[in-house]
Amino acid sequence: MANVELLPANGYAPRLGVFSISEDGTVAWLDLDSTTLPNGLINARVSAFDLPAGQAGATEVVAMPARTWNISNAGGTAPGTFTATLAAAPADNAVVSGTTRLEVRGSSLANVELLPATGYAPRLGVFNISADKTRAWLDFDSWSVTDGIRDVRISAYDVAEGQPGATEIVAMPPRRWQFSNGATSTFTASVTMAPSNGATIDGTTLLEVRGTGLENVELLPASGYLPRLGVFTISADKTHARLELNTANLPNGPVEARISAFSVAPGQPNAQEIIAMPARQWTVQNDGAALPSQWSVTPVPRSNRSPGTFYQDLNGSGTAVSHYIISNNSGGRVQTGMGIAYADGRVVDLETLQWQTARGVAINNAGQIAGIGRNNIFDVDVSQRGAARGFVYADGSATEIPVPTPIGIDPAKVAVQVADINNSGAVVGYSEYTDTDGGLKSHAFMYANGQRSELQLTGRSTATRANAISDTGFIVGDADYPDGTSRAYLYSNGVQTTYPILSGYTSSTAVDVNDNRQIVGSVYNNKQNGLIVNPRPFIIANDIMREIPLPAGASWGEATAINAQGQVVGSTYSVNTGSSVSDGAFLYSAGRTIDLNTLSAVSAAGIRIRGAVSINNVGQILVYDRNNDGLAQYYLLAPVQ
């Protein structure tokens, strides 16, 4: 099984739920939150597919023919309620050996641990938690403890490990277990996931080892210890080790490798080694089959009213939406206008609508534009500046997005910032205002079918932003926290997934998502003048975040967009101090990062790409250079079929 979905009795939309699938593809499960569905009768089926979502040629098996259910949540658990009950564990006085499944069900689960009967150390195991925080499980390897009698409990918490103010629920009161494995070894290792001998590998490949007492696991040559091909990440309970191997870092051709586990940390003496995977031969093939050998470079015209034209998005037909700046020396003011460019190779100016100034932010395949309008934006008197208003432009007119009314805040001072629009016309963004305490606050929203709704994001966030929405309704953005950091999140069907930060960074933001739930954004440590300093791009696939390697010579970079094929574009910086002035651009595809300035078509055009704005599903990329006048000139970089 590659994809399992809860669907209507007929057809494939709307999807009512997407199942999680075990690593071996034999088990799929979904903790369906029925509160996301309207009360009343519903007809639904469960269908399994042999290919991931969105892939052509999938075979469907209707695992559950259509059934009629009556949704009734009048007395359901209130959102945000913290509950925890034991679902699976050995009985009191049971004999425990080998690997035992422990499971807890509830709501708002943030951390679940297997602990001694009293106290909190030593922890015997840390549970995995589902994205919707309703299920926690641990495949407890009893080899990790010595044989004998031990009293244990299972406790659940409503905040993440190490966070203050946690509420504890003892999901399993103390039970006495007799551990009996008939051996004393506490160091074991075996490979559970790796390409077979003779396999061809490309892109990113997942390697996994399971065992006990794992202190260090490495991907090494068939013999010897250098060069190390990869170092695994080890779970807190030292029973799992995983490596997202980026094969683009290996030379094309045959490679022989083994996986070795060690009983001590790297560099420590007296290490015991277990060869978890004896040497296998793989063929690395990252020849960029997904990348064309030829490209075309076409200038995108500027508005004839102003050379200062800035393009912000690209739809499926290669149409870019823009805003342009008009200098007016009288009074020293500058106005912005709005335009849509590169429709049949020409710029089409749109009227200023009901605002003095307006700009387009995003465009979909139907030509609908999401934008922002203002009045008196450049008045010297800040109090006279008009707050931003979001709108959707279609068929020659604009529909304003309603303004929320936070308690105690004048709606005239609430700004509506629009970020994205999908092909169904759903818009996301955030409202921004100065709260009564003087702090700047923001709330993420979605506008669809004429209705505005606030995203019900959970946690301790002080400000939330929605930055992108996919055609399937995946919403991504970032949330600020009291400690000054930010976290990238995904919001789908009322369920929020907040992602951990890559090691070495404190914050993250998500800027785009495709229908396969692949997310791109940037990690960073601080901001300067509101701009991110020293960012590095990331991609999230299968809910695992990993850094995108940058081209040679680039120290920093930001991912800006991803298409349906998982191709990512972004901008790079050789020096970055929060000025947001990029000096290069990249394309990440099939595990490889390409410096767009190394393409022969770019060199032949005599330009230097300074940044990449967007990429569509046919591989067209919107990029820009800077002319001698210091203003941006945009180009459409398109693959030649």
Side-chain angles (χ1 to χ4, degrees):
M1 294 181 292
N3 179 32
V4 182
E5 300 178 358
L6 181 65
L7 298 167
N10 298 297
Y12 297 90
R15 292 194 297 180
L16 306 177
V18 178
F19 285 62
S20 300
I21 298 177
S22 63
E23 294 166 352
D24 60 3
T26 63
V27 178
W29 65 94
L30 169 65
D31 294 319
L32 176 64
D33 182 1
S34 63
T35 61
T36 63
L37 304 175
N39 282 341
L41 298 178
I42 184 172
N43 293 321
R45 76 182 193 274
V46 176
S47 284
F49 304 89
D50 60 343
L51 293 175
Q55 299 295 317
T59 300
E60 176 182 359
V61 174
V62 180
M64 183 192 80
R67 296 181 182 178
T68 299
W69 297 332
N70 186 17
I71 306 298
S72 178
N73 280 303
T77 302
T81 301
F82 173 43
T83 62
T85 57
L86 184 68
D92 194 25
N93 294 313
V95 175
V96 177
S97 62
T99 300
T100 300
R101 169 59 67 100
L102 309 176
E103 188 170 338
V104 169
R105 299 289 180 107
S107 57
S108 298
L109 300 172
N111 180 32
V112 181
E113 300 178 359
L114 178 64
L115 298 167
T118 59
Y120 298 92
R123 289 191 304 177
L124 305 177
V126 178
F127 286 59
N128 301 289
I129 297 179
S130 62
D132 61 2
K133 298 185 178 180
T134 63
R135 176 173 172 265
W137 68 97
L138 170 64
D139 290 319
F140 176 58
D141 188 345
S142 62
W143 284 87
S144 61
V145 299
T146 56
D147 283 353
I149 296 174
R150 188 181 291 262
D151 294 332
V152 297
R153 77 181 193 275
I154 296 176
S155 284
Y157 305 89
D158 60 344
V159 299
E161 175 188 350
Q163 298 298 315
T167 299
E168 177 181 357
I169 294 177
V170 180
M172 184 188 81
R175 294 183 181 179
R176 175 162 293 182
W177 293 342
Q178 171 73 48
F179 291 92
S180 178
N181 284 300
T184 59
S185 174
T186 58
F187 175 44
T188 62
S190 60
V191 68
T192 54
M193 186 175 296
S196 60
N197 189 44
T200 298
I201 59 175
D202 63 359
T204 300
T205 299
L206 176 62
L207 308 176
E208 184 179 68
V209 168
R210 296 201 178 190
T212 57
L214 301 174
E215 294 287 350
N216 180 30
V217 181
E218 300 178 359
L219 181 65
L220 298 168
S223 60
Y225 297 91
L226 293 173
R228 289 193 301 179
L229 306 178
V231 178
F232 287 61
T233 299
I234 298 176
S235 63
D237 60 2
K238 300 182 181 180
T239 63
H240 297 72
R242 294 166 63 94
L243 171 63
E244 296 273 337
L245 176 64
N246 183 2
T247 62
N249 296 327
L250 302 176
N252 281 344
V255 60
E256 284 191 285
R258 77 182 193 273
I259 297 176
S260 284
F262 302 91
S263 59
V264 298
Q268 297 298 313
N270 303 318
Q272 180 183 352
E273 177 182 358
I274 294 176
I275 299 178
M277 183 192 81
R280 296 181 184 179
Q281 181 169 317
W282 300 326
T283 299
V284 179
Q285 185 173 317
N286 276 306
D287 54 9
L291 295 177
S293 59
Q294 296 183 339
W295 296 76
S296 65
V297 180
T298 305
V300 180
R302 294 172 170 179
S303 167
N304 58 12
R305 298 181 60 188
S306 169
T309 305
F310 297 87
Y311 296 95
Q312 294 191 259
D313 196 19
L314 193 66
N315 67 3
S317 60
T319 301
V321 63
S322 74
H323 72 282
Y324 52 82
I325 291 180
I326 305 169
S327 296
N328 181 352
N329 292 328
S330 176
R333 293 186 179 183
V334 179
Q335 290 186 323
T336 64
M338 174 174 146
I340 176 172
Y342 215 64
D344 299 324
R346 62 191 178 91
V347 172
V348 180
D349 282 338
L350 303 180
E351 61 270 27
T352 311
L353 310 176
Q354 56 261 49
W355 300 278
Q356 292 182 8
T357 62
R359 64 186 178 95
V361 174
I363 184 170
N364 64 14
N365 289 347
Q368 295 174 305
I369 299 169
I372 299 171
R374 288 179 183 264
N375 290 323
N376 303 320
I377 184 173
F378 292 106
D379 276 329
V380 175
D381 185 352
V382 176
S383 65
Q384 297 302 311
R385 295 183 184 178
R389 292 291 176 260
F391 65 83
V392 178
Y393 180 92
D395 301 324
S397 63
T399 301
E400 184 173 333
I401 296 173
V403 179
T405 54
I407 297 175
I409 304 299
D410 181 358
K413 296 182 180 180
V414 177
V416 179
Q417 305 289 356
V418 168
D420 196 18
I421 184 171
N422 68 9
N423 286 325
S424 299
V427 176
V428 294
Y430 55 95
S431 303
E432 197 170 45
Y433 61 92
T434 301
D435 205 351
T436 53
D437 62 4
L440 185 64
K441 300 295 175 61
S442 61
H443 292 288
F445 73 84
M446 180 175 72
Y447 176 75
N449 301 318
Q451 299 294 320
R452 175 196 172 106
S453 59
E454 309 304 308
L455 301 191
Q456 300 302 312
L457 300 178
T458 59
R460 301 176 297 113
S461 56
T462 58
T464 60
R465 291 164 290 273
N467 298 327
I469 181 171
S470 73
D471 289 337
T472 50
F474 293 135
I475 299 173
V476 296
D478 56 83
D480 295 341
Y481 289 84
D483 61 1
T485 63
S486 297
R487 296 286 189 277
Y489 71 83
L490 177 139
Y491 186 83
S492 175
N493 294 324
V495 176
Q496 175 188 347
T497 302
T498 302
Y499 294 98
I501 303 299
L502 292 174
S503 177
Y505 300 93
T506 61
S507 297
S508 63
T509 178
V511 298
D512 202 10
V513 58
N514 64 17
D515 290 343
N516 295 321
R517 195 168 164 151
Q518 294 174 307
I519 304 166
V520 294
S522 302
V523 290
Y524 60 96
N525 286 322
N526 55 72
K527 292 182 178 181
Q528 182 175 311
N529 298 324
L531 299 174
I532 294 172
V533 178
N534 298 341
R536 298 298 293 263
F538 69 74
I539 183 170
I540 296 174
N542 299 319
D543 279 342
I544 297 174
M545 181 188 292
R546 65 179 185 274
E547 193 170 316
I548 294 175
L550 292 173
S555 300
W556 314 102
E558 297 176 277
T560 54
I562 186 171
N563 66 9
Q565 288 73 41
Q567 295 177 308
V568 183
V569 295
S571 301
T572 60
Y573 309 77
S574 56
V575 176
N576 177 32
T577 58
S579 63
S580 77
V581 178
S582 58
D583 53 19
F586 69 84
L587 168 64
Y588 177 75
S589 178
R592 286 202 306 160
T593 302
I594 305 298
D595 184 342
L596 292 179
N597 281 301
T598 63
L599 298 177
S600 58
V602 174
S603 300
I607 64 174
R608 166 75 185 182
I609 296 176
R610 306 290 177 173
V613 177
S614 186
I615 183 171
N616 62 18
N617 290 344
V618 296
Q620 296 173 317
I621 307 172
L622 183 63
V623 299
Y624 64 89
D625 190 6
R626 295 194 180 276
N627 286 353
N628 292 332
D629 57 11
L631 298 174
Q633 171 61 58
Y634 288 77
Y635 298 87
L636 193 62
L637 184 61
V640 176
Q641 303 298 328

